[in-house]
Amino acid sequence: MAIRLGILGYGNLARGIECAVKQNDDMELQAVFTRRAPESVKTQSGVPVYGIRDLEGMKEDIDVLMLCGGSATDLPEQTPKYARLFNVVDSFDTHAKIPEHFAKVDASAKEGGKTALISVGWDPGMFSLNRLYANAILRDGKDYTFWGKGVSQGHSDAIRRIPGVKNAKQYTIPVEDALRRVRASENPELTTRQKHTRECFVVAEEGADLKQIENEIKTMPNYFADYDTTVHFISEEELLRDHAGIPHGGFVIRTGKTGMNKEHDHVIEYSLKLDSNPEFTSCVLVAYARAAYRMNSRGSFGCKTVFDVAPADLSPLSPEEMRSHLL
Amino acid sequence: MAIRLGILGYGNLARGIECAVKQNDDMELQAVFTRRAPESVKTQSGVPVYGIRDLEGMKEDIDVLMLCGGSATDLPEQTPKYARLFNVVDSFDTHAKIPEHFAKVDASAKEGGKTALISVGWDPGMFSLNRLYANAILRDGKDYTFWGKGVSQGHSDAIRRIPGVKNAKQYTIPVEDALRRVRASENPELTTRQKHTRECFVVAEEGADLKQIENEIKTMPNYFADYDTTVHFISEEELLRDHAGIPHGGFVIRTGKTGMNKEHDHVIEYSLKLDSNPEFTSCVLVAYARAAYRMNSRGSFGCKTVFDVAPADLSPLSPEEMRSHLL
């Protein structure tokens, strides 16, 4: 019998899950739940939409609930709440608040005899895993994470809030020379500015002061002031035509030394190049839904992260097939 | 208390483990066991050397036994034999025989209430893991593994067996253009020749027929005939000066599509660049020794592979530290 998924919240991530489920024969999407009026939401795949109030009543129909809300306000409330009733997977990505989120979700999931996987995706998620593996192997070394080239929604939103800006898209770009030095085992100490540049494509309101907008972007604290930032003013048509996608990606690199006299250098590198950030993230979430279901079946209750999941639990293949074909 | 390791077989891998243990505070190397006369073996670290007959009597002194023999004849016999008495880690790498090896080791480890981790290293090992993760995420895609640039011991040995050859070193080199096409999501079908080239540095005996040697290398079935091979004749001094190392590495890439109409391409890439193949492999073995010890303490008996090990079990960090610093 297929693993029956439910989705809470219908945005980009949920749409990605609809696609991902189609690629996994052992999965089935049962329902989407929304805080909006259900009749106002139309799913791509035609899966039925229910109001969030119907969720508790459908406990028996859902094996794993995919929580697709945002990390700022939705997940801190939803994950602990629903982890008592369902096996859940979320993509909580506020790094600093993970310990607090973990504790709440853990208590709730244990109370309900459920399995909750938090902070799943690619960062946190696959990038975290690669940091852990590389650190466990190369004990004497240095970690580097670069993001991009990709669209940062947070930075794009920050630009859109500037008066006179109609629309905007921001790309985070790793600095090639920094990557080259890291890969060459130079172990550089890199400042924020030396690791990434930021490129902005901005549609201004008619008559807006472009010099003023550019200056406001480049001097914006936290978001842009510490980076070399380029601003391009373009038309709305150009923005829609050339910058409609949500690509992203990045690099996790650990360099380290071995040998009786630290005479040997090693470089471990993991990288992602993604045409669609939410669709890739969704694929990761769906693989971890499989693990949540299996771990729960084995009585492994409580909150877990990608660190706690044996790789085999992610795969639809049998242990024999894995050993024959992938090992 | 530290995890007490023993080593069976004192070669390059064992020497790498001696180095790796120094970098892991929670590990301690207790003894090396050898089939040779113990007094003829001198360890780098000064750890005591015993004859293989002393091994069974030291059951209580060793938490995990690291099996450092070869896959051809040593490990098929040693791993099943010692998995009944010790938690063990091996680097068995004859891909086609893994299922058979697994079955024997599993029976033996279960009988003894021990935990055995087989086929640990980087391929099989970290490369296998990356194939599994990438396949679980990108369900509709294509796998590529490239090796190198690095020294192939098997190919170097094959050249040394040719009459008139005094010494030789062979490098396996991935074809740049093939890598470029794979990374560009072209999903090429690549022949053996299109993926790797082979470069040989050969020291000939005085008066040997160089043309003849070159021809024998380039036409050698399985080893070289299917590849574009370059042969350089150099002096013994040059070989020792420029080709003394054992570097290796490679790339595991999976490309795949997502979206309602498969409209988005994604590339997952994992790569290693290693100055010392055996020292890096040893670092992986030591991380998995930690996991073998912990899994055994929890009553998880039998044969396991890297697929069965939760990443957290590899790290010396506490779960809280991992979540705070690596997630």
Side-chain angles (χ1 to χ4, degrees):
Chain A
M1 215 179 71
I3 301 172
R4 301 162 305 166
L5 305 186
I7 292 176
L8 176 56
Y10 194 71
N12 282 335
L13 211 52
R15 284 186 193 89
I17 291 174
E18 280 185 284
C19 300
V21 167
K22 293 201 331 179
Q23 297 182 326
N24 286 278
D25 297 341
D26 61 338
M27 302 269 177
E28 213 172 80
L29 184 56
Q30 289 290 102
V32 167
F33 299 90
T34 177
R35 283 175 300 196
R36 292 178 268 173
E39 61 278 11
S40 73
V41 175
K42 236 197 159 69
T43 60
Q44 306 174 92
S45 60
V47 67
V49 181
Y50 300 96
I52 193 168
R53 284 153 191 269
D54 295 324
L55 189 45
E56 299 203 16
M58 288 179 70
K59 266 187 55 152
E60 301 308 317
D61 305 299
I62 307 287
D63 294 315
V64 186
L65 182 63
M66 313 298 282
L67 299 172
C68 295
S71 294
T73 57
D74 299 332
L75 298 176
E77 189 208 307
Q78 291 174 351
T79 316
K81 177 171 178 183
Y82 292 109
R84 203 170 46 78
L85 303 166
F86 296 91
N87 300 316
V88 299
V89 179
D90 85 14
S91 60
F92 185 76
D93 66 359
T94 312
H95 282 83
K97 295 193 173 164
I98 287 174
E100 181 190 335
H101 189 59
F102 183 91
K104 283 188 196 166
V105 175
D106 193 46
S108 166
K110 280 180 176 153
E111 195 190 314
K114 297 296 178 188
T115 307
L117 272 163
I118 62 158
S119 302
V120 177
W122 59 273
D123 197 6
M126 298 312 295
F127 274 21
S128 322
L129 269 183
N130 276 281
R131 286 187 283 262
L132 189 147
Y133 277 117
N135 273 270
I137 296 168
L138 293 177
R139 300 291 301 133
D140 183 0
K142 209 159 153 42
D143 291 304
Y144 297 89
T145 301
F146 292 87
W147 294 275
K149 180 182 178 175
V151 172
S152 163
Q153 300 288 4
H155 288 79
S156 301
D157 290 345
I159 301 173
R160 285 190 207 103
R161 285 191 294 264
I162 296 173
V165 170
K166 203 172 160 194
N167 205 344
K169 204 100 178 210
Q170 193 269 180
Y171 295 92
T172 306
I173 304 167
V175 174
E176 271 303 325
D177 192 57
L179 272 169
R180 184 194 56 72
R181 292 180 60 201
V182 168
R183 287 175 179 143
S185 290
E186 291 183 19
N187 300 313
E189 294 290 338
L190 297 167
T191 63
T192 299
R193 190 177 301 273
Q194 287 172 319
K195 287 184 71 184
H196 297 95
T197 57
R198 299 197 174 279
E199 189 170 24
C200 314
F201 293 87
V202 181
V203 182
E205 308 270 10
E206 228 183 282
D209 181 343
L210 304 189
K211 266 267 147 289
Q212 166 76 10
I213 291 172
E214 180 167 347
N215 186 56
E216 280 202 42
I217 294 173
K218 290 184 170 177
T219 58
M220 196 185 297
N222 303 318
Y223 285 90
F224 294 99
D226 298 333
Y227 299 85
D228 289 334
T229 301
T230 321
V231 177
H232 309 277
F233 289 97
I234 60 173
S235 69
E236 181 101 56
E237 297 78 58
E238 285 171 303
L239 190 82
L240 295 175
R241 186 192 66 206
D242 303 333
H243 305 281
I246 322 176
H248 219 312
F251 306 82
V252 173
I253 304 175
R254 184 168 173 88
T255 53
K257 291 178 181 301
T258 66
M260 287 310 264
N261 304 298
K262 302 188 181 187
E263 61 272 35
H264 294 128
D265 286 308
H266 305 276
V267 184
I268 304 176
E269 176 168 343
Y270 179 79
S271 70
L272 296 173
K273 199 169 68 193
L274 314 174
D275 271 1
S276 164
N277 182 354
E279 282 180 12
F280 184 84
T281 302
S282 303
C283 289
V284 181
L285 292 173
V286 165
Y288 278 92
R290 180 180 291 119
Y293 176 76
R294 291 182 182 171
M295 291 170 85
N296 188 261
S297 313
R298 293 198 302 265
S300 180
F301 304 147
C303 189
K304 316 279 174 192
T305 72
V306 292
F307 298 154
D308 306 305
V309 178
D313 273 333
L314 302 173
S315 174
L317 299 182
S318 74
E320 291 75 20
E321 287 172 318
M322 277 180 237
R323 287 194 293 268
S324 297
H325 303 312
L326 297 171
L327 197 61
Chain B
M1 214 178 73
I3 301 172
R4 300 163 305 166
L5 303 187
I7 292 176
L8 176 56
Y10 194 70
N12 282 335
L13 210 52
R15 284 186 194 90
I17 291 175
E18 279 185 284
C19 301
V21 167
K22 293 200 333 179
Q23 297 182 326
N24 286 277
D25 298 339
D26 61 338
M27 302 269 177
E28 212 171 81
L29 184 55
Q30 290 289 103
V32 166
F33 299 89
T34 177
R35 283 175 301 195
R36 291 178 270 171
E39 60 278 10
S40 72
V41 175
K42 237 196 158 71
T43 60
Q44 307 176 91
S45 60
V47 69
V49 181
Y50 300 96
I52 193 167
R53 285 154 191 268
D54 296 323
L55 190 45
E56 298 203 17
M58 289 181 69
K59 266 187 55 153
E60 302 308 318
D61 305 300
I62 307 286
D63 294 314
V64 186
L65 183 64
M66 314 298 281
L67 300 171
C68 294
S71 295
T73 58
D74 300 330
L75 298 176
E77 189 208 308
Q78 292 175 349
T79 315
K81 177 171 178 186
Y82 292 109
R84 203 171 46 78
L85 303 166
F86 297 91
N87 299 316
V88 299
V89 179
D90 84 13
S91 60
F92 185 77
D93 67 357
T94 312
H95 282 85
K97 294 192 174 165
I98 288 175
E100 182 190 333
H101 189 60
F102 182 93
K104 283 188 195 164
V105 175
D106 193 46
S108 166
K110 280 180 177 153
E111 195 191 315
K114 298 295 177 189
T115 307
L117 272 163
I118 63 159
S119 302
V120 176
W122 60 272
D123 196 3
M126 298 312 296
F127 274 20
S128 322
L129 269 183
N130 277 280
R131 286 187 282 263
L132 188 148
Y133 277 117
N135 273 270
I137 296 168
L138 292 177
R139 301 290 300 136
D140 183 0
K142 209 159 155 43
D143 291 305
Y144 297 89
T145 301
F146 293 86
W147 294 275
K149 181 184 176 175
V151 172
S152 164
Q153 301 289 5
H155 287 78
S156 302
D157 290 344
I159 299 173
R160 285 191 207 104
R161 285 191 294 264
I162 296 173
V165 171
K166 202 173 162 194
N167 205 344
K169 203 101 179 209
Q170 193 268 181
Y171 295 92
T172 306
I173 304 168
V175 174
E176 271 302 327
D177 192 58
L179 271 169
R180 184 195 56 72
R181 291 179 61 202
V182 168
R183 289 175 179 143
S185 290
E186 289 182 21
N187 300 314
E189 295 290 339
L190 298 167
T191 62
T192 299
R193 190 177 300 274
Q194 288 172 319
K195 287 183 72 183
H196 297 95
T197 56
R198 299 198 176 277
E199 190 169 22
C200 314
F201 293 87
V202 181
V203 182
E205 309 271 10
E206 228 183 281
D209 182 343
L210 304 189
K211 266 267 148 290
Q212 167 76 11
I213 291 172
E214 180 167 346
N215 186 55
E216 280 202 44
I217 295 172
K218 289 185 170 175
T219 58
M220 196 185 297
N222 303 318
Y223 284 90
F224 294 100
D226 298 335
Y227 299 85
D228 289 334
T229 301
T230 321
V231 177
H232 309 278
F233 289 98
I234 60 175
S235 70
E236 182 101 56
E237 297 78 57
E238 285 172 302
L239 190 83
L240 295 176
R241 186 191 66 207
D242 303 333
H243 305 283
I246 321 176
H248 219 313
F251 306 82
V252 173
I253 304 175
R254 185 167 172 88
T255 53
K257 292 178 180 300
T258 66
M260 288 310 264
N261 304 298
K262 302 188 182 187
E263 62 271 37
H264 294 128
D265 286 309
H266 306 276
V267 184
I268 305 176
E269 176 168 343
Y270 179 79
S271 71
L272 295 174
K273 199 169 69 195
L274 314 175
D275 270 1
S276 164
N277 183 353
E279 283 180 11
F280 183 83
T281 302
S282 303
C283 289
V284 181
L285 293 173
V286 166
Y288 277 92
R290 181 179 289 121
Y293 176 75
R294 292 182 182 171
M295 291 169 84
N296 187 261
S297 312
R298 293 197 303 264
S300 182
F301 304 147
C303 188
K304 317 279 174 192
T305 73
V306 293
F307 299 154
D308 304 306
V309 178
D313 273 333
L314 302 172
S315 174
L317 300 182
S318 73
E320 292 74 21
E321 287 171 319
M322 278 180 238
R323 287 193 293 268
S324 297
H325 303 312
L326 297 171
L327 197 62

